[in-house]
Amino acid sequence: MSGSQPDAPANAERRAFLGLAATLGLTGMVSGKPPSAPRALPEICALDAVSLSAAIHAKRLSCVEVMGAYLDHIGRINPKVNAIVALQERELLLRQAREHDELLSRGNSKGVLHGFPHAVKDLQPVKGIVSTQGSPLFKDFVPSAEGLMVERLRGAGAVFIGKTNTPEFGLGSNTYNSVYGATRNAYDLSRSAGGSSGGAAVGLAVRMLPVADGSDYGGSLRNPAGWNNVYGFRTSFGCVPNDAKDEWLPSMGVLGPMARNVQDLAMLLSVQAGYDDRAPLSVLQEGSRFNERLERDFKGTRIAWCRDFKGTVPHDPEVLATCEAALKTFESLGCIVEEASPEFSVPAVWDALVKLRGWQMGGGLHEFYEDPRKRALLKPEAVFEIETGLKLSAYEISHASSVRTLFTHATRKLLSRYDYLIVPTAQVFPFSVEEHWPETVAGMRMNTYHEWMKGTFLVTMAGMPALAAPAGFSAQGLPIGLQIVANHHQELKCLQLARAYERASRHNERLSPLLS
């Protein structure tokens, strides 16, 4: 189908398809009879990504129709949330969509994302689109090349409409910067969206994107997913190949997918994942393995509820209560849930994390610190990381890495007794968007800008895949999530449990008030 208008019978078929598919798409194709799409949500934008891809390839929807519907919806919603930045010109995007229609008319599909409007997280360079990393140092930077993961998205047919907002250099789990401003929570505009994939999570939650990409060092795919009632997946190192300044001593940061439901999450991961010889430590397995059927039986599956790591990681009590209520859903699937956590000193792991992060994050920013004019443009969190790294000797870094290894083995030992770990996606509910970070959690003072995310950082230090899924809402209507953690490179296992949990819990049926 090209961008031309369809005839009357085709219009009738399209309306019938959209009416059914939008209804199903709102719930990620779960069982039961869900409500129709809210009036403020266009039917095309209500479709889940799997259904949208099928409709485009069956020529029930044209890429031009899809692009137009999404751009109209973005025009209505994005001014309220500020999730999508560097939005490209409408005529340019419609022309690219028309080119994708012409390809399909000749029987040529680029892949499952063919014709999808997509905004890349603003830490990844996209050829021809301003890529700021949230920093005034790069406010006018337009890359002439793009990263490995972005190449894969483009190769699968995505049309890049712009970027999703992120904090400066991805530092901090609250998405604001001096270039574009703050991104607001999809469920309460006065609250933080989380970060650093905050724009991506909100873009999904308010249906301005079919799927979204993100990155995660200490919770950047997990916290914003939990705070916006969507799904985010921190994958094992090497699952999704990434560009790195140092291929042999890589950062703990990884790339991964975000989506409205688990099937969409798996579909996007199938595009992102797989070996690339430009990333020599990437995993040899093909991304197509995530297209496998996700349904399976979970009777007798053993889950360790890490809670607050034996009181060493402070949490808002309501966060814990909400997650513990969600655990009953796993029990309804036949899982056995017990409280347990790795036998290891959390203060020792945290001390090692602060040092390793200072070395890894500060090392990439040090060149700006050396120039006083550029240093003045760095946010305090960036200066903190650089100055932390500057104080370290090579031996201290080596020791911190050894502590990380020991903690990984302790976590692996726990997973020899359990099939999964469950951990909250954040220690607090979304706080005020005007607040940089919470200074206290459950009455305990936070000594750094990222200590309130200690629970997600611990999972990072173990190096294991962690899938963030909605857990429920506070009494004030604020979302929180839980992390489904499995052993190294067991992403498919995480997706399978998340799919069963999604079907049983149906948390993602509760849409943003902006869509009602």
Side-chain angles (χ1 to χ4, degrees), residues 49-368:
V50 171
S51 298
L52 179 64
S53 181
I56 289 172
H57 284 89
K59 301 181 185 177
R60 290 191 290 262
L61 290 174
S62 73
C63 299
V64 168
E65 288 174 301
V66 171
M67 182 62 71
Y70 268 95
L71 292 179
D72 289 345
H73 186 55
I74 289 167
R76 289 189 295 269
I77 300 294
N78 196 52
K80 301 176 183 179
V81 294
N82 191 37
I84 297 177
V85 297
L87 186 65
Q88 301 298 285
E89 292 293 331
R90 184 184 185 94
E91 288 308 312
L92 169 66
L93 296 174
L94 289 174
R95 183 168 69 248
Q96 292 180 50
R98 194 169 296 112
E99 291 168 356
H100 280 66
D101 279 326
E102 291 168 357
L103 279 173
L104 273 186
S105 71
R106 298 194 296 271
N108 298 320
S109 168
K110 287 190 168 185
V112 292
L113 305 182
H114 191 98
F116 272 40
H118 189 88
V120 175
K121 183 177 177 179
D122 200 22
L123 295 183
Q124 290 286 314
V126 177
K127 184 178 180 180
I129 298 180
V130 174
S131 298
T132 73
Q133 300 182 69
S135 169
L137 293 169
F138 292 95
K139 64 183 179 66
D140 300 315
F141 175 61
V142 180
S144 58
E146 51 201 26
L148 302 182
M149 189 270 296
V150 176
E151 280 185 11
R152 292 189 171 192
L153 298 178
R154 190 187 294 277
V159 178
F160 296 132
I161 64 172
K163 309 297 287 291
T164 55
N165 204 19
T166 184
E168 182 179 322
F169 298 119
L171 297 172
S173 204
N174 184 6
T175 296
Y176 67 90
N177 59 64
S178 61
V179 181
Y180 295 118
T183 297
R184 296 177 179 271
N185 190 282
Y187 287 80
D188 185 335
L189 295 177
S190 71
R191 303 292 179 131
S192 167
S196 61
S197 307
V202 173
L204 283 170
V206 297
R207 302 323 194 232
M208 295 191 299
L209 298 170
V211 291
D213 66 89
S215 56
D216 188 304
Y217 191 113
S220 293
L221 280 161
R222 294 164 283 166
N223 181 42
W227 276 6
N228 291 280
N229 202 43
V230 295
Y231 293 82
F233 200 176
R234 178 190 166 88
T235 53
S236 306
F237 181 82
C239 177
V240 178
N242 191 13
D243 306 272
K245 290 183 178 180
D246 188 338
E247 297 287 359
W248 302 110
L249 292 175
S251 164
M252 285 186 276
V254 299
L255 303 177
M258 302 186 84
R260 307 172 189 177
N261 63 61
V262 178
Q263 293 279 30
D264 291 355
L265 196 71
M267 184 181 82
L268 182 56
L269 184 56
S270 74
V271 173
Q272 294 174 311
Y275 181 73
D276 191 300
D277 62 8
R278 293 168 291 179
L281 298 183
S282 56
V283 174
L284 286 172
Q285 292 172 295
E286 294 297 323
S288 58
R289 69 189 186 277
F290 299 117
N291 293 325
E292 294 180 24
R293 181 177 173 84
L294 298 181
E295 284 72 18
R296 50 160 282 207
D297 179 59
F298 284 95
K299 187 175 182 180
T301 296
R302 293 177 56 79
I303 293 175
W305 163 231
C306 293
R307 201 172 188 274
D308 57 0
F309 291 85
K310 299 180 180 178
T312 59
V313 180
H315 283 72
D316 178 328
E318 193 177 3
V319 166
L320 295 176
T322 305
C323 289
E324 284 170 345
L327 295 177
K328 297 184 186 301
T329 301
F330 293 100
E331 292 176 337
S332 74
L333 297 171
C335 298
I336 301 165
V337 181
E338 298 173 347
E339 187 173 336
S341 55
E343 294 293 336
F344 202 86
S345 166
V346 169
V349 182
W350 179 249
D351 179 70
L353 176 279
V354 171
K355 290 174 180 175
L356 290 172
R357 184 172 167 88
W359 165 54
Q360 294 177 350
M361 301 298 293
L365 301 173
H366 182 253
E367 61 182 290
F368 309 124

Side-chain angles (χ1 to χ4, degrees), residues 398-439:
S398 178
H399 176 71
S401 187
S402 297
V403 171
R404 183 192 179 199
T405 298
L406 293 172
F407 177 67
T408 298
H409 289 318
T411 308
R412 185 176 54 80
K413 184 176 180 181
L414 182 63
L415 279 167
S416 69
R417 294 190 289 120
Y418 294 93
D419 300 291
Y420 297 90
L421 313 181
I422 298 290
V423 186
T425 54
Q427 293 158 235
V428 295
F429 286 99
F431 48 77
S432 169
V433 71
E434 308 295 337
E435 188 178 359
H436 295 308
W437 45 276
E439 295 185 1

Side-chain angles (χ1 to χ4, degrees), residues 6-20 60:
D7 57 22
N11 256 327
E13 180 186 354
R14 186 188 330 279
R15 285 194 298 271
F17 166 76
L18 283 171
L20 173 62
R60 290 191 290 262

